[in-house]
Amino acid sequence: MYDPTVARLTYRALLGRRRALILFALPLLLVVIAAAVRGFSGADDQVASDLLGGFALATMVPIIGVIAGTGAIGPEIDDGSVMYLLSKPVKRPTIIVTKLTVAIAVTMVFSAVPTLVAGLILNGNSQQIAVAYTIAALVSSIAYAAIFLLLGTVTRHAVVFGLVYALVWEAVFGSLVSGARTLSVQQWSLAVAHKATDAGDLVTSDVGLPAAVVLLLVVTAGTTWYAGRRLRTLTVAGDE
């Protein structure tokens, strides 16, 4: 279910000059903000939780997920080069799983690592806050990569729809509207992270842990499966 050649090509596409600049920009901004906040206000657990939750988890992680998830396959579909890949003796599920694996790895590296660094800068991991939000970033990276990889297979405007989801649904509705929180990847990941922190009142979720785990698994598996179906449809269209 993993093809090294497909993985290498996908990494090359995702880490090209233009995308690499975007991928580095948000993590760098987070670390710079964290350093500035620590310099001005000192170590504060509440401030650390607010910044890691409000910027890192609600904004940075989903945006990086959009770039990695849609970029793993969307451009190939747009320019038609995916048909060359589909003509090779590689199973369609293997292509999707390989591209998803690469998208997850890129999302994790560019979101979880800077989240941990920023957390350590902000309060030195007091009450395990930095570790908790790092776990949330790791968990949400999997679901975001799968969701946005699927978007890349169903629409040519995957980046636009992905950014709307990331900036409007997750950053606004998922943080402010109580009913929408149940369907927020951010809240699911926070439910998992809640178990890793000593600050139960700072890292909270509106979704219980069992429900969060089930939803994460269902969404990740469901979107991956449907992306595979869409890829088979593209093969048929190309053959015709």
Side-chain angles (χ1 to χ4, degrees):
M1 296 298 289
Y2 182 86
D3 187 275
T5 301
V6 174
R8 184 174 64 254
L9 294 173
T10 306
Y11 275 118
R12 185 181 301 173
L14 285 178
L15 300 178
R17 183 178 303 175
R18 183 180 302 176
R19 284 193 178 87
L21 289 175
I22 300 174
L23 286 171
F24 276 108
L26 282 174
L28 179 60
L29 179 60
L30 172 64
V31 173
V32 169
I33 292 175
V37 170
R38 178 62 185 266
F40 284 113
S41 63
D44 186 295
D45 292 349
Q46 182 64 61
V47 171
S49 181
D50 290 343
L51 180 57
L52 294 178
F55 180 75
L57 195 61
T59 303
M60 182 187 74
V61 180
I63 289 179
I64 291 176
V66 170
I67 297 170
T70 61
I73 196 169
E76 292 176 299
I77 294 177
D78 290 344
D79 62 20
S81 61
V82 71
M83 302 314 301
Y84 173 79
L85 177 62
L86 296 179
S87 68
K88 300 301 179 182
V90 182
K91 294 181 179 179
R92 306 304 177 256
T94 298
I95 295 174
I96 288 296
V97 171
T98 300
K99 287 184 171 293
L100 176 60
T101 301
V102 172
I104 290 173
V106 170
T107 306
M108 283 183 171
V109 169
F110 284 94
S111 61
V113 173
T115 297
L116 177 60
V117 172
L120 293 174
I121 292 173
L122 286 165
N123 72 342
N125 195 36
S126 173
Q127 301 191 75
Q128 297 294 308
I129 290 176
V131 169
Y133 278 105
T134 300
I135 292 173
L138 289 170
V139 171
S140 59
S141 293
I142 299 172
Y144 283 134
I147 291 170
F148 297 130
L149 180 69
L150 172 61
L151 272 180
T153 66
V154 300
T155 175
R156 292 179 178 273
H157 306 290
V159 174
V160 175
F161 285 113
L163 288 176
V164 169
Y165 175 88
L167 298 177
V168 177
W169 184 265
E170 289 286 10
V172 179
F173 287 97
S175 300
L176 302 177
V177 181
S178 58
R181 294 173 187 171
T182 305
L183 301 177
S184 168
V185 174
Q186 175 190 350
Q187 293 298 320
W188 304 341
S189 62
L190 283 172
V192 178
H194 175 74
K195 297 297 181 180
T197 180
D198 300 326
D201 57 333
L202 293 179
V203 183
T204 61
S205 173
D206 289 350
V207 182
L209 181 60
V213 172
V214 170
L215 288 167
L216 283 166
L217 291 174
V218 169
V219 167
T220 302
T223 52
T224 303
W225 171 80
Y226 192 66
R229 287 200 60 182
R230 288 291 301 178
L231 204 59
R232 283 194 290 272
T233 301
L234 287 175
T235 303
V236 173
D239 291 339
E240 293 176 352

